[in-house]
Amino acid sequence: EKVMSVLSEDQEMNAAIEKARGSLDGFWKSFETPGANESDFALKVAIQGNGATEHFWLTRIKREGDKLSGLISNEPQSVKSVKMGQGYDFTSDMISDWTFKRNGKLVGNETMRVLLPRMPEEQAAVYRQMYETP
């Protein structure tokens, strides 16, 4: 999957990150007691390195009090201090988005929604079909 670069000043993306952070309690509620039809919980985390900030999806999330960890689930593009499949400890202030599946459809993933109008329409249509609420 091609990574889309976004400037840190991008107002739409920053608003999506704030929306995701503002709804994080709903993610944690489903994460802690998932419904029979809820799975594939992931958090997007901002990691800095090589003079850049890159946002990675982490899966296999573990939450023990304030201690958070997960596995890096995409290939690094600019931050080379981590690698795909690596365990990573992070803090809640590093979270930039969240997602999980309900009935096979994506819930959350606010940052991708910002990118949809910036993609070729055919590609965006494929992603829209993945969402519970497009």
Side-chain angles (χ1 to χ4, degrees):
E1 224 175 286
K2 186 177 182 234
V3 173
M4 293 181 72
S5 293
V6 177
L7 296 174
S8 61
E9 306 85 38
D10 189 298
Q11 292 181 350
E12 286 181 296
M13 186 59 73
N14 290 332
I17 290 169
E18 288 307 310
K19 182 177 182 181
R21 287 178 176 161
S23 59
L24 199 52
D25 286 346
F27 170 86
W28 287 124
K29 183 178 177 187
S30 288
F31 176 82
E32 297 293 339
T33 54
N37 56 352
E38 295 177 342
S39 65
D40 300 338
F41 292 86
L43 291 170
K44 189 179 266 189
V45 174
I47 299 175
Q48 295 182 340
N50 304 82
T53 300
E54 190 170 344
H55 297 259
F56 292 88
W57 283 108
L58 275 66
T59 57
R60 296 193 189 171
I61 304 299
K62 291 183 183 172
R63 182 183 188 203
E64 297 170 7
D66 290 340
K67 187 177 178 185
L68 301 168
S69 64
L71 294 182
I72 304 281
S73 295
N74 49 291
E75 289 290 344
Q77 301 299 307
S78 52
V79 173
K80 301 300 184 185
S81 57
V82 296
K83 62 182 180 180
M84 188 163 155
Q86 171 186 334
Y88 191 81
D89 296 334
F90 59 97
T91 56
S92 61
D93 64 327
M94 296 167 70
I95 298 171
S96 57
D97 205 351
W98 58 266
T99 191
F100 64 90
K101 287 184 182 175
R102 181 184 297 134
N103 297 317
K105 296 284 190 174
L106 290 175
V107 178
N109 202 357
E110 296 299 331
T111 54
M112 176 59 103
R113 293 173 190 268
V114 171
L115 300 176
L116 293 175
R118 303 175 190 188
M119 293 179 183
E121 184 50 41
E122 189 175 292
Q123 182 184 13
V126 171
Y127 283 106
R128 283 189 187 97
Q129 290 178 353
M130 295 177 177
Y131 280 98
E132 181 179 75
T133 54

mmCIF file of all heavy atoms in Angstrom, residues 14 19 27 33 38 42 46 53 59 71 89 95 102 106 118 126 128 130 132:
data_model
loop_
_atom_site.group_PDB
_atom_site.id
_atom_site.type_symbol
_atom_site.label_atom_id
_atom_site.label_comp_id
_atom_site.label_asym_id
_atom_site.label_seq_id
_atom_site.Cartn_x
_atom_site.Cartn_y
_atom_site.Cartn_z
ATOM 1 N N ASN A 14 -5.195 17.345 11.019
ATOM 2 C CA ASN A 14 -5.131 17.642 12.446
ATOM 3 C C ASN A 14 -6.511 17.574 13.093
ATOM 4 O O ASN A 14 -6.647 17.100 14.230
ATOM 5 C CB ASN A 14 -4.448 18.989 12.690
ATOM 6 C CG ASN A 14 -2.963 18.924 12.380
ATOM 7 O OD1 ASN A 14 -2.342 17.882 12.489
ATOM 8 N ND2 ASN A 14 -2.397 20.051 11.976
ATOM 9 N N LYS A 19 -10.430 14.485 16.353
ATOM 10 C CA LYS A 19 -11.696 13.747 16.410
ATOM 11 C C LYS A 19 -11.447 12.323 16.900
ATOM 12 O O LYS A 19 -12.177 11.811 17.750
ATOM 13 C CB LYS A 19 -12.365 13.728 15.032
ATOM 14 C CG LYS A 19 -13.705 13.031 15.021
ATOM 15 C CD LYS A 19 -14.377 13.102 13.670
ATOM 16 C CE LYS A 19 -15.739 12.427 13.708
ATOM 17 N NZ LYS A 19 -16.404 12.455 12.400
ATOM 18 N N PHE A 27 -13.336 3.517 21.619
ATOM 19 C CA PHE A 27 -12.423 2.447 21.190
ATOM 20 C C PHE A 27 -12.077 1.566 22.381
ATOM 21 O O PHE A 27 -12.171 0.340 22.306
ATOM 22 C CB PHE A 27 -11.151 3.037 20.582
ATOM 23 C CG PHE A 27 -10.070 2.012 20.345
ATOM 24 C CD1 PHE A 27 -10.047 1.271 19.180
ATOM 25 C CD2 PHE A 27 -9.085 1.784 21.305
ATOM 26 C CE1 PHE A 27 -9.058 0.311 18.965
ATOM 27 C CE2 PHE A 27 -8.097 0.826 21.099
ATOM 28 C CZ PHE A 27 -8.090 0.091 19.925
ATOM 29 N N THR A 33 -14.147 -4.878 26.198
ATOM 30 C CA THR A 33 -15.244 -5.861 26.169
ATOM 31 C C THR A 33 -15.838 -5.892 24.759
ATOM 32 O O THR A 33 -16.921 -5.363 24.523
ATOM 33 C CB THR A 33 -16.333 -5.518 27.204
ATOM 34 O OG1 THR A 33 -16.767 -4.170 26.982
ATOM 35 C CG2 THR A 33 -15.842 -5.660 28.622
ATOM 36 N N GLU A 38 -16.972 -7.794 16.901
ATOM 37 C CA GLU A 38 -15.916 -6.781 16.880
ATOM 38 C C GLU A 38 -14.542 -7.444 16.980
ATOM 39 O O GLU A 38 -14.326 -8.309 17.832
ATOM 40 C CB GLU A 38 -16.113 -5.784 18.029
ATOM 41 C CG GLU A 38 -17.377 -4.972 17.889
ATOM 42 C CD GLU A 38 -17.641 -4.037 19.049
ATOM 43 O OE1 GLU A 38 -17.065 -4.221 20.138
ATOM 44 O OE2 GLU A 38 -18.454 -3.109 18.862
ATOM 45 N N ALA A 42 -6.802 -1.792 16.377
ATOM 46 C CA ALA A 42 -5.496 -1.206 16.053
ATOM 47 C C ALA A 42 -5.490 0.266 16.446
ATOM 48 O O ALA A 42 -6.517 0.934 16.433
ATOM 49 C CB ALA A 42 -5.199 -1.349 14.558
ATOM 50 N N ALA A 46 2.065 8.054 16.482
ATOM 51 C CA ALA A 46 3.087 8.918 15.894
ATOM 52 C C ALA A 46 4.438 8.585 16.515
ATOM 53 O O ALA A 46 4.599 8.637 17.727
ATOM 54 C CB ALA A 46 2.741 10.381 16.139
ATOM 55 N N THR A 53 8.382 12.619 11.551
ATOM 56 C CA THR A 53 7.349 11.935 12.320
ATOM 57 C C THR A 53 6.553 11.085 11.345
ATOM 58 O O THR A 53 6.121 11.575 10.305
ATOM 59 C CB THR A 53 6.393 12.933 13.019
ATOM 60 O OG1 THR A 53 7.167 13.751 13.898
ATOM 61 C CG2 THR A 53 5.317 12.205 13.801
ATOM 62 N N THR A 59 -0.898 -3.209 16.053
ATOM 63 C CA THR A 59 -1.892 -4.235 16.343
ATOM 64 C C THR A 59 -1.452 -5.005 17.583
ATOM 65 O O THR A 59 -0.412 -4.704 18.164
ATOM 66 C CB THR A 59 -2.052 -5.181 15.140
ATOM 67 O OG1 THR A 59 -0.775 -5.743 14.824
ATOM 68 C CG2 THR A 59 -2.604 -4.448 13.917
ATOM 69 N N LEU A 71 2.317 -4.132 18.210
ATOM 70 C CA LEU A 71 3.264 -4.501 17.155
ATOM 71 C C LEU A 71 3.146 -3.535 15.988
ATOM 72 O O LEU A 71 2.036 -3.265 15.507
ATOM 73 C CB LEU A 71 2.991 -5.919 16.646
ATOM 74 C CG LEU A 71 3.221 -7.069 17.603
ATOM 75 C CD1 LEU A 71 2.940 -8.390 16.895
ATOM 76 C CD2 LEU A 71 4.637 -7.055 18.148
ATOM 77 N N ASP A 89 6.481 0.095 22.765
ATOM 78 C CA ASP A 89 5.791 0.714 23.892
ATOM 79 C C ASP A 89 5.521 2.174 23.548
ATOM 80 O O ASP A 89 6.382 2.846 22.971
ATOM 81 C CB ASP A 89 6.649 0.648 25.159
ATOM 82 C CG ASP A 89 6.897 -0.778 25.627
ATOM 83 O OD1 ASP A 89 6.061 -1.663 25.330
ATOM 84 O OD2 ASP A 89 7.917 -1.012 26.286
ATOM 85 N N ILE A 95 -1.018 8.594 20.371
ATOM 86 C CA ILE A 95 -2.085 8.020 19.543
ATOM 87 C C ILE A 95 -2.668 9.094 18.634
ATOM 88 O O ILE A 95 -3.047 10.173 19.090
ATOM 89 C CB ILE A 95 -3.193 7.401 20.422
ATOM 90 C CG1 ILE A 95 -2.618 6.259 21.264
ATOM 91 C CG2 ILE A 95 -4.366 6.925 19.564
ATOM 92 C CD1 ILE A 95 -3.565 5.724 22.327
ATOM 93 N N ARG A 102 -16.280 -4.061 12.893
ATOM 94 C CA ARG A 102 -17.564 -4.491 13.436
ATOM 95 C C ARG A 102 -18.354 -5.065 12.264
ATOM 96 O O ARG A 102 -18.535 -4.378 11.254
ATOM 97 C CB ARG A 102 -18.314 -3.322 14.071
ATOM 98 C CG ARG A 102 -19.652 -3.728 14.682
ATOM 99 C CD ARG A 102 -20.438 -2.553 15.221
ATOM 100 N NE ARG A 102 -19.743 -1.897 16.310
ATOM 101 C CZ ARG A 102 -19.606 -0.569 16.410
ATOM 102 N NH1 ARG A 102 -20.066 0.238 15.481
ATOM 103 N NH2 ARG A 102 -18.983 -0.046 17.451
ATOM 104 N N LEU A 106 -14.968 -1.435 8.800
ATOM 105 C CA LEU A 106 -14.108 -0.566 9.610
ATOM 106 C C LEU A 106 -14.910 0.475 10.383
ATOM 107 O O LEU A 106 -15.804 1.122 9.840
ATOM 108 C CB LEU A 106 -13.112 0.180 8.717
ATOM 109 C CG LEU A 106 -12.011 -0.635 8.070
ATOM 110 C CD1 LEU A 106 -11.195 0.250 7.136
ATOM 111 C CD2 LEU A 106 -11.114 -1.266 9.121
ATOM 112 N N ARG A 118 -8.531 12.898 -1.680
ATOM 113 C CA ARG A 118 -7.233 13.189 -2.297
ATOM 114 C C ARG A 118 -6.737 12.028 -3.153
ATOM 115 O O ARG A 118 -5.685 12.131 -3.766
ATOM 116 C CB ARG A 118 -6.206 13.501 -1.203
ATOM 117 C CG ARG A 118 -6.636 14.651 -0.303
ATOM 118 C CD ARG A 118 -5.690 14.879 0.834
ATOM 119 N NE ARG A 118 -6.238 15.830 1.804
ATOM 120 C CZ ARG A 118 -5.566 16.315 2.813
ATOM 121 N NH1 ARG A 118 -4.306 15.967 3.014
ATOM 122 N NH2 ARG A 118 -6.134 17.157 3.654
ATOM 123 N N VAL A 126 -13.106 1.978 -3.214
ATOM 124 C CA VAL A 126 -12.774 0.696 -2.583
ATOM 125 C C VAL A 126 -12.697 0.880 -1.068
ATOM 126 O O VAL A 126 -13.259 0.087 -0.301
ATOM 127 C CB VAL A 126 -11.443 0.134 -3.140
ATOM 128 C CG1 VAL A 126 -10.980 -1.068 -2.337
ATOM 129 C CG2 VAL A 126 -11.600 -0.226 -4.610
ATOM 130 N N ARG A 128 -14.064 3.323 0.756
ATOM 131 C CA ARG A 128 -15.377 3.698 1.306
ATOM 132 C C ARG A 128 -16.239 2.473 1.575
ATOM 133 O O ARG A 128 -16.995 2.427 2.544
ATOM 134 C CB ARG A 128 -16.092 4.664 0.368
ATOM 135 C CG ARG A 128 -15.566 6.064 0.431
ATOM 136 C CD ARG A 128 -16.427 7.048 -0.355
ATOM 137 N NE ARG A 128 -15.795 8.327 -0.400
ATOM 138 C CZ ARG A 128 -15.047 8.773 -1.422
ATOM 139 N NH1 ARG A 128 -14.873 8.029 -2.507
ATOM 140 N NH2 ARG A 128 -14.484 9.965 -1.367
ATOM 141 N N MET A 130 -15.279 -0.278 2.636
ATOM 142 C CA MET A 130 -14.768 -0.969 3.820
ATOM 143 C C MET A 130 -15.342 -0.404 5.118
ATOM 144 O O MET A 130 -15.278 -1.060 6.156
ATOM 145 C CB MET A 130 -13.240 -0.868 3.875
ATOM 146 C CG MET A 130 -12.541 -1.557 2.763
ATOM 147 S SD MET A 130 -10.747 -1.237 2.965
ATOM 148 C CE MET A 130 -10.091 -2.199 1.621
ATOM 149 N N GLU A 132 -17.969 1.019 7.972
ATOM 150 C CA GLU A 132 -19.310 0.789 8.500
ATOM 151 C C GLU A 132 -20.207 1.975 8.151
ATOM 152 O O GLU A 132 -21.352 1.805 7.766
ATOM 153 C CB GLU A 132 -19.223 0.608 10.021
ATOM 154 C CG GLU A 132 -20.561 0.328 10.687
ATOM 155 C CD GLU A 132 -20.420 0.145 12.178
ATOM 156 O OE1 GLU A 132 -20.234 1.141 12.904
ATOM 157 O OE2 GLU A 132 -20.491 -1.018 12.616
#
